[in-house]
PDB file of all heavy atoms in Angstrom:
ATOM      1  N   VAL A 226       7.351 -78.272 -75.638  1.00 92.00           N
ATOM      2  CA  VAL A 226       7.826 -76.909 -75.804  1.00 92.00           C
ATOM      3  C   VAL A 226       7.133 -76.432 -77.100  1.00 92.00           C
ATOM      4  O   VAL A 226       7.183 -77.000 -78.081  1.00 92.00           O
ATOM      5  CB  VAL A 226       9.336 -76.782 -76.009  1.00 92.00           C
ATOM      6  CG1 VAL A 226       9.877 -75.318 -75.982  1.00 92.00           C
ATOM      7  CG2 VAL A 226      10.077 -77.515 -75.024  1.00 92.00           C
ATOM      8  N   GLY A 227       6.515 -75.214 -76.950  1.00 92.00           N
ATOM      9  CA  GLY A 227       5.878 -74.645 -78.017  1.00 92.00           C
ATOM     10  C   GLY A 227       6.858 -74.199 -79.108  1.00 92.00           C
ATOM     11  O   GLY A 227       8.085 -74.074 -78.760  1.00 92.00           O
ATOM     12  N   HIS A 229       9.430 -72.342 -81.392  1.00 94.00           N
ATOM     13  CA  HIS A 229      10.337 -71.203 -80.944  1.00 94.00           C
ATOM     14  C   HIS A 229      11.723 -71.411 -81.658  1.00 94.00           C
ATOM     15  O   HIS A 229      11.872 -72.289 -82.232  1.00 94.00           O
ATOM     16  CB  HIS A 229      10.625 -71.171 -79.451  1.00 94.00           C
ATOM     17  CG  HIS A 229      11.429 -72.396 -78.960  1.00 94.00           C
ATOM     18  ND1 HIS A 229      10.935 -73.674 -78.913  1.00 94.00           N
ATOM     19  CD2 HIS A 229      12.829 -72.513 -78.710  1.00 94.00           C
ATOM     20  CE1 HIS A 229      11.849 -74.541 -78.487  1.00 94.00           C
ATOM     21  NE2 HIS A 229      13.042 -73.812 -78.399  1.00 94.00           N
ATOM     22  N   LYS A 230      12.438 -70.359 -81.611  1.00 95.00           N
ATOM     23  CA  LYS A 230      13.826 -70.353 -82.050  1.00 95.00           C
ATOM     24  C   LYS A 230      14.692 -70.111 -80.809  1.00 95.00           C
ATOM     25  O   LYS A 230      14.327 -69.286 -79.978  1.00 95.00           O
ATOM     26  CB  LYS A 230      14.078 -69.266 -83.092  1.00 95.00           C
ATOM     27  CG  LYS A 230      13.219 -69.457 -84.307  1.00 95.00           C
ATOM     28  CD  LYS A 230      13.395 -68.351 -85.292  1.00 95.00           C
ATOM     29  CE  LYS A 230      12.712 -68.634 -86.593  1.00 95.00           C
ATOM     30  NZ  LYS A 230      13.077 -67.725 -87.732  1.00 95.00           N
ATOM     31  N   ASP A 231      15.986 -70.751 -80.819  1.00 96.00           N
ATOM     32  CA  ASP A 231      16.767 -70.552 -79.545  1.00 96.00           C
ATOM     33  C   ASP A 231      17.535 -69.199 -79.747  1.00 96.00           C
ATOM     34  O   ASP A 231      17.916 -68.829 -80.957  1.00 96.00           O
ATOM     35  CB  ASP A 231      17.790 -71.674 -79.419  1.00 96.00           C
ATOM     36  CG  ASP A 231      16.990 -72.974 -78.992  1.00 96.00           C
ATOM     37  OD1 ASP A 231      15.811 -73.047 -78.698  1.00 96.00           O
ATOM     38  OD2 ASP A 231      17.621 -74.057 -79.149  1.00 96.00           O
ATOM     39  N   THR A 236      22.875 -74.105 -79.913  1.00 98.00           N
ATOM     40  CA  THR A 236      22.378 -75.112 -78.880  1.00 98.00           C
ATOM     41  C   THR A 236      22.952 -76.505 -79.210  1.00 98.00           C
ATOM     42  O   THR A 236      22.952 -76.884 -80.337  1.00 98.00           O
ATOM     43  CB  THR A 236      20.851 -75.089 -78.943  1.00 98.00           C
ATOM     44  OG1 THR A 236      20.493 -73.893 -78.720  1.00 98.00           O
ATOM     45  CG2 THR A 236      20.420 -76.096 -77.824  1.00 98.00           C
ATOM     46  N   LEU A 238      22.365 -80.217 -78.212  1.00 98.00           N
ATOM     47  CA  LEU A 238      21.197 -80.924 -77.632  1.00 98.00           C
ATOM     48  C   LEU A 238      21.387 -82.389 -77.579  1.00 98.00           C
ATOM     49  O   LEU A 238      21.531 -82.931 -78.635  1.00 98.00           O
ATOM     50  CB  LEU A 238      19.944 -80.507 -78.363  1.00 98.00           C
ATOM     51  CG  LEU A 238      18.611 -81.249 -77.888  1.00 98.00           C
ATOM     52  CD1 LEU A 238      18.090 -80.784 -76.572  1.00 98.00           C
ATOM     53  CD2 LEU A 238      17.541 -81.273 -79.007  1.00 98.00           C
ATOM     54  N   LEU A 246      11.145 -84.196 -80.881  1.00 96.00           N
ATOM     55  CA  LEU A 246      11.755 -82.863 -81.410  1.00 96.00           C
ATOM     56  C   LEU A 246      11.379 -82.789 -82.788  1.00 96.00           C
ATOM     57  O   LEU A 246      11.674 -83.576 -83.610  1.00 96.00           O
ATOM     58  CB  LEU A 246      13.196 -82.751 -81.123  1.00 96.00           C
ATOM     59  CG  LEU A 246      13.847 -81.615 -81.706  1.00 96.00           C
ATOM     60  CD1 LEU A 246      13.332 -80.263 -81.127  1.00 96.00           C
ATOM     61  CD2 LEU A 246      15.353 -81.645 -81.595  1.00 96.00           C
ATOM     62  N   ASN A 269      21.681 -76.828 -83.040  1.00 96.00           N
ATOM     63  CA  ASN A 269      20.960 -75.814 -83.716  1.00 96.00           C
ATOM     64  C   ASN A 269      21.518 -74.379 -83.697  1.00 96.00           C
ATOM     65  O   ASN A 269      22.032 -74.069 -82.719  1.00 96.00           O
ATOM     66  CB  ASN A 269      19.482 -75.834 -83.598  1.00 96.00           C
ATOM     67  CG  ASN A 269      18.965 -75.693 -82.195  1.00 96.00           C
ATOM     68  OD1 ASN A 269      19.317 -74.715 -81.669  1.00 96.00           O
ATOM     69  ND2 ASN A 269      18.162 -76.590 -81.749  1.00 96.00           N
ATOM     70  N   ALA A 285      16.553 -72.123 -86.773  1.00 94.00           N
ATOM     71  CA  ALA A 285      15.417 -72.882 -87.309  1.00 94.00           C
ATOM     72  C   ALA A 285      14.405 -72.980 -86.157  1.00 94.00           C
ATOM     73  O   ALA A 285      14.692 -73.054 -84.964  1.00 94.00           O
ATOM     74  CB  ALA A 285      15.909 -74.370 -87.614  1.00 94.00           C
ATOM     75  N   HIS A 287      11.625 -74.647 -83.960  1.00 96.00           N
ATOM     76  CA  HIS A 287      11.524 -76.046 -83.483  1.00 96.00           C
ATOM     77  C   HIS A 287      10.424 -76.095 -82.405  1.00 96.00           C
ATOM     78  O   HIS A 287      10.074 -75.158 -81.897  1.00 96.00           O
ATOM     79  CB  HIS A 287      12.885 -76.760 -83.215  1.00 96.00           C
ATOM     80  CG  HIS A 287      13.600 -76.075 -82.203  1.00 96.00           C
ATOM     81  ND1 HIS A 287      14.249 -74.823 -82.417  1.00 96.00           N
ATOM     82  CD2 HIS A 287      13.818 -76.210 -80.855  1.00 96.00           C
ATOM     83  CE1 HIS A 287      14.995 -74.438 -81.424  1.00 96.00           C
ATOM     84  NE2 HIS A 287      14.704 -75.228 -80.431  1.00 96.00           N
ATOM     85  N   ARG A 288      10.012 -77.399 -81.953  1.00 96.00           N
ATOM     86  CA  ARG A 288       9.093 -77.503 -80.901  1.00 96.00           C
ATOM     87  C   ARG A 288       9.155 -78.915 -80.411  1.00 96.00           C
ATOM     88  O   ARG A 288       9.993 -79.745 -81.003  1.00 96.00           O
ATOM     89  CB  ARG A 288       7.653 -77.286 -81.452  1.00 96.00           C
ATOM     90  CG  ARG A 288       7.204 -78.406 -82.414  1.00 96.00           C
ATOM     91  CD  ARG A 288       5.817 -78.388 -82.914  1.00 96.00           C
ATOM     92  NE  ARG A 288       5.520 -79.570 -83.653  1.00 96.00           N
ATOM     93  CZ  ARG A 288       4.567 -79.562 -84.625  1.00 96.00           C
ATOM     94  NH1 ARG A 288       3.777 -78.568 -84.742  1.00 96.00           N
ATOM     95  NH2 ARG A 288       4.346 -80.850 -85.153  1.00 96.00           N
ATOM     96  N   VAL A 289       8.589 -79.238 -79.335  1.00 95.00           N
ATOM     97  CA  VAL A 289       8.561 -80.663 -78.934  1.00 95.00           C
ATOM     98  C   VAL A 289       7.151 -81.164 -78.742  1.00 95.00           C
ATOM     99  O   VAL A 289       6.316 -80.669 -77.983  1.00 95.00           O
ATOM    100  CB  VAL A 289       9.313 -80.696 -77.527  1.00 95.00           C
ATOM    101  CG1 VAL A 289       9.338 -82.108 -76.948  1.00 95.00           C
ATOM    102  CG2 VAL A 289      10.788 -80.283 -77.583  1.00 95.00           C
ATOM    103  N   PRO A 301      19.465 -79.638 -73.479  1.00 98.00           N
ATOM    104  CA  PRO A 301      19.984 -78.702 -74.245  1.00 98.00           C
ATOM    105  C   PRO A 301      21.088 -77.888 -73.476  1.00 98.00           C
ATOM    106  O   PRO A 301      20.985 -77.617 -72.325  1.00 98.00           O
ATOM    107  CB  PRO A 301      18.900 -77.794 -74.625  1.00 98.00           C
ATOM    108  CG  PRO A 301      17.838 -77.968 -73.684  1.00 98.00           C
ATOM    109  CD  PRO A 301      18.109 -79.479 -73.066  1.00 98.00           C
ATOM    110  N   PHE A 303      22.760 -74.439 -73.911  1.00 98.00           N
ATOM    111  CA  PHE A 303      22.567 -73.100 -74.677  1.00 98.00           C
ATOM    112  C   PHE A 303      23.934 -72.180 -74.505  1.00 98.00           C
ATOM    113  O   PHE A 303      24.231 -71.826 -73.437  1.00 98.00           O
ATOM    114  CB  PHE A 303      21.367 -72.289 -74.023  1.00 98.00           C
ATOM    115  CG  PHE A 303      20.058 -72.961 -74.068  1.00 98.00           C
ATOM    116  CD1 PHE A 303      19.461 -73.617 -73.065  1.00 98.00           C
ATOM    117  CD2 PHE A 303      19.473 -73.126 -75.404  1.00 98.00           C
ATOM    118  CE1 PHE A 303      18.322 -74.266 -73.091  1.00 98.00           C
ATOM    119  CE2 PHE A 303      18.239 -73.854 -75.505  1.00 98.00           C
ATOM    120  CZ  PHE A 303      17.635 -74.445 -74.294  1.00 98.00           C
TER     121      PHE A 303
HETATM  122 FE1  LIG B 402      14.877 -74.916 -78.392  1.00 74.69          FE
END
Side-chain angles (χ1 to χ4, degrees):
V226 186
H229 69 284
K230 296 177 173 193
D231 292 348
T236 305
L238 171 78
L246 172 64
N269 61 51
H287 54 285
R288 69 176 185 200
V289 175
F303 298 105

